Amino acid sequence: MMCRMIKPLVAILLCITAISNAYANYELGCDDPAYHKYMEQRFVHFESKNRRLFAETLRNYEQSLATSNNPYRVIGDLSRHLKYSAQFDAIEKVNAKIDHIFDHAEALSAEQQIAGDVFDRFSSESHAVGIARAWLAYRQGNYELAFKELLQSLEVSNSAVLSAFGPDVELIRRIYHDGHVAPVIAYINKTEEFWTGRRPDNLRYVWLKMINAQCKIQFDFIDTIKALELGLSLIDVNNGKGLKR
């Protein structure tokens, strides 16, 4: 009986290994210098993109603040700007922008606050504030507070936006690159509470496999392809089926 159970399992493992090896482009896997060079280029790309979005989201917020009669748009534009401000602005400027978020929220009428709670409970804005606070603590070397704020940023409920598009990954990309693994794993696992479906499941599966193999990670959908090119033994989630729920 035991042999019959083992043989199918061995066959599955061999199949996964064969699929992974068929895609492998990096002979040394996660330690391949070519992959490290590629990843450094990607990190440069992400920083360049974030600096561009820092300027773009600031303009959007300033424009909506000056011309819009929609308070939700003003709050939304500032919250989208916060995660970029937290990376590049002076600490005092980021704190001031966080205060502005609450100032704008307090200026809402009772009816507007109720409407905001009904739609999204301001979860996206709360997540943005939490991520910004985590960035500030991290930049100042207070890692314990940074990782606490990071996890607290995921204390959201009924967030239509976060459920559809997922949480912020900019900060976990940075801290993982810097060698902090445990808080990244905790963050990824906690996203299961609200970010559900085949795509999120596939991404979490691949990221955790790559972490276990000590690979550099982009925390982007392209990781699902690069993991195979690295020769990791995992399921090809892009084969049209992905993981079974």
Side-chain angles (χ1 to χ4, degrees):
M1 176 66 72
M2 182 63 69
C3 289
R4 294 196 196 101
M5 294 175 63
I6 291 175
K7 287 181 179 179
L9 177 59
V10 171
I12 291 171
L13 292 175
L14 289 175
C15 182
I16 292 175
T17 301
I19 291 172
S20 300
N21 290 339
Y23 287 95
N25 289 346
Y26 299 97
E27 292 183 3
L28 300 179
C30 295
D31 294 325
D32 198 302
Y35 181 66
H36 287 195
K37 181 179 180 180
Y38 162 78
M39 286 299 295
E40 290 305 318
Q41 292 171 343
R42 293 298 292 166
F43 293 137
V44 170
H45 161 76
F46 287 126
E47 179 165 354
S48 176
K49 182 188 73 171
N50 289 344
R51 287 188 180 277
R52 173 176 55 79
L53 289 172
F54 165 73
E56 181 181 309
T57 55
L58 178 59
R59 285 194 301 268
N60 291 342
Y61 166 62
E62 290 175 340
Q63 182 177 6
S64 64
L65 183 63
T67 63
S68 177
N69 293 321
N70 184 342
Y72 301 118
R73 177 181 174 183
V74 174
I75 294 172
D77 283 345
L78 179 53
S79 68
R80 282 186 287 274
H81 172 64
L82 259 186
K83 76 173 184 178
Y84 304 110
S85 172
Q87 296 177 54
F88 306 118
D89 257 335
I91 300 297
E92 59 272 15
K93 281 190 176 182
V94 183
N95 280 321
K97 289 174 180 176
I98 291 174
D99 289 341
H100 290 332
I101 283 272
F102 291 101
D103 291 340
H104 292 315
E106 289 174 1
L108 294 174
S109 66
E111 292 79 6
Q112 289 171 331
Q113 290 184 18
I114 292 172
D117 282 340
V118 168
F119 170 67
D120 199 40
R121 295 178 182 260
F122 295 105
S123 291
S124 300
E125 291 76 16
S126 297
H127 179 60
V129 169
I131 289 294
R133 286 172 170 163
W135 267 109
L136 292 183
Y138 190 76
R139 287 175 57 187
Q140 296 176 89
N142 190 341
Y143 297 152
E144 182 178 355
L145 177 59
F147 303 150
K148 178 181 177 181
E149 294 284 4
L150 180 66
L151 287 183
Q152 285 186 343
S153 76
L154 297 179
E155 296 293 338
V156 298
S157 58
N158 300 325
S159 175
V161 175
L162 294 179
S163 295
F165 299 102
D168 175 79
V169 296
E170 303 292 340
L171 182 51
I172 64 168
R173 180 188 296 128
R174 169 66 178 276
I175 67 177
Y176 182 77
H177 181 261
D178 291 347
H180 304 285
V181 177
V184 174
I185 293 175
Y187 186 86
I188 292 172
N189 287 333
K190 192 172 178 60
T191 65
E192 292 182 346
E193 296 176 6
F194 62 90
W195 193 31
T196 60
R198 176 162 287 177
R199 183 176 183 275
D201 286 346
N202 289 344
L203 289 172
R204 280 187 289 263
Y205 165 74
V206 170
W207 289 339
L208 292 173
K209 286 283 189 178
M210 295 183 77
I211 289 173
N212 188 57
Q214 300 182 351
C215 297
K216 293 180 180 293
I217 309 175
Q218 300 177 57
F219 294 99
D220 187 87
F221 185 77
I222 198 171
D223 290 317
T224 64
I225 299 171
K226 303 307 289 187
L228 294 172
E229 294 178 353
L230 290 165
L232 298 184
S233 296
L234 44 69
I235 299 169
D236 181 3
V237 299
N238 296 314
N239 65 1
K241 298 180 181 179
L243 299 178
K244 292 183 179 180
R245 292 183 59 76

